[in-house]
Amino acid sequence: RTMACSLIPKPSSSLLWMDVAMFSVTVIMFVSLLENVLAQVLRAAISSQASRFVDNLSRVTFPLMALLILFLLFAMGAARTDTNTTMAVCLTLLCVWLVSFSFAVTFYCRYLARMLMKTLVKHVSANSRYNVISFDQKELRVVFEVFDEEDTGSIAADKVFQKLQRHGLSLAPEGATKFQERLRAVFQRLDAAKGQLDLKGFCQNFQELFHLDRAARAPDEPHEAQDVEGSVETLQLDEEEGTHPFEVIAT
């Protein structure tokens, strides 16, 4: 009887600690797979900017969480903390991280229009040849709906300029005047009758509408080198769906 009892496995603190470590690492790896799926779903259904936000957030939070978990495991293991307590602490930390991550993604998607306008305003205000802006079909529609707050199906130059100002457009007074006049000229050239654009026209001429010359830069912004050559602008038209994704890269 004594020999049989001695053969029964005894609780091992090192094994239980390793179980907690493996469980925590497995959770992080599984969540990373879910993040990839989420990013692809967001790109296909909502916005490529939202998908990019999820990827950027993951690149920061996942390594930090892994390092924090490992630090806690080794610290609590060295202190010979009860393994149940260690598991509870790790689970709590993982749950807080997942809830915070989900909240951040939900918040971004909920206020996607505001985020896209912030990106657009930053691009126009910076007026840098090194600035890059890329909006897909769904994002262009969202931006258009922000400008078309009355849901009339068309927008005018003054309405666009006013909306940009409300979202924090920062240009020198002279630059703001030139930008507004150029917007009016472009709208009038594209629609001589009414000076308005519908969604299709807005998508097709997006890069022309929001491309500024150097004179419109805010006075406190440093000037770029004068020997930089040109810019590359690409407009992609999706004829099959009848929509017009836009991508402009300024180099």
Side-chain angles (χ1 to χ4, degrees), residues 3-251:
M3 293 179 60
C5 290
S6 64
L7 295 177
I8 299 176
K10 302 296 188 300
S12 172
S13 59
S14 60
L15 177 61
L16 292 177
W17 179 91
M18 183 59 66
D19 288 339
V20 177
M22 293 301 298
F23 175 80
S24 301
V25 172
T26 302
V27 169
I28 294 176
M29 294 178 64
F30 180 72
V31 174
S32 68
L33 294 177
L34 293 181
E35 180 274 329
N36 288 328
V37 175
L38 175 62
Q40 295 299 323
V41 171
L42 290 177
R43 181 180 297 276
I46 299 179
S47 162
S48 60
Q49 293 286 339
S51 175
R52 192 174 296 112
F53 171 78
V54 172
D55 286 335
N56 292 336
L57 185 63
S58 300
R59 290 189 182 100
V60 175
T61 60
F62 275 73
L64 289 178
M65 180 55 57
L67 290 175
L68 181 59
I69 288 292
L70 290 177
F71 174 79
L72 286 176
L73 286 172
F74 281 102
M76 298 180 76
R80 298 187 179 277
T81 306
D82 181 68
T83 51
N84 292 327
T85 303
T86 304
M87 175 67 83
V89 171
C90 291
L91 280 176
T92 301
L93 188 60
L94 288 170
C95 290
V96 171
W97 168 55
L98 291 176
V99 171
S100 301
F101 189 93
S102 301
F103 176 79
V105 175
T106 303
F107 180 85
Y108 190 94
C109 294
R110 174 66 178 81
Y111 296 98
L112 178 62
R114 184 183 302 178
M115 300 300 179
L116 293 178
M117 288 298 298
K118 182 179 179 181
T119 302
L120 179 60
V121 167
K122 182 179 179 181
H123 167 74
V124 175
S125 299
N127 185 29
S128 172
R129 288 194 172 195
Y130 301 103
N131 198 17
V132 176
I133 184 171
S134 176
F135 287 162
D136 61 20
Q137 305 173 46
K138 297 174 289 295
E139 292 163 349
L140 285 174
R141 181 180 294 275
V142 171
V143 173
F144 180 84
E145 291 174 353
V146 172
F147 291 133
D148 185 25
E149 57 183 352
E150 298 176 357
D151 197 21
T152 60
S154 61
I155 56 176
D158 291 339
K159 185 184 297 185
V160 171
F161 183 75
Q162 292 171 4
K163 274 292 183 180
L164 291 175
Q165 284 187 318
R166 291 179 188 176
H167 285 81
L169 180 63
S170 176
L171 291 174
E174 181 182 356
T177 302
K178 289 183 178 181
F179 177 53
Q180 185 176 17
E181 292 176 351
R182 195 179 60 77
L183 274 179
R184 291 173 179 171
V186 173
F187 271 77
Q188 191 64 33
R189 178 175 58 80
L190 297 173
D191 183 9
K194 298 180 179 179
Q196 297 183 347
L197 291 178
D198 58 7
L199 176 60
K200 180 178 180 180
F202 176 77
C203 295
Q204 289 178 326
N205 300 279
F206 186 84
Q207 80 280 26
E208 183 178 3
L209 292 173
F210 299 104
H211 176 72
L212 297 176
D213 54 29
R214 294 172 181 269
R217 187 183 291 112
D220 57 343
E221 182 175 349
H223 290 269
E224 306 291 345
Q226 297 295 327
D227 58 348
V228 179
E229 295 183 358
S231 62
V232 178
E233 297 176 349
T234 305
L235 178 63
Q236 300 174 339
L237 303 180
D238 191 345
E239 298 295 344
E240 295 180 356
E241 298 183 4
T243 52
H244 302 265
F246 166 76
E247 182 177 7
V248 57
I249 301 177
T251 58

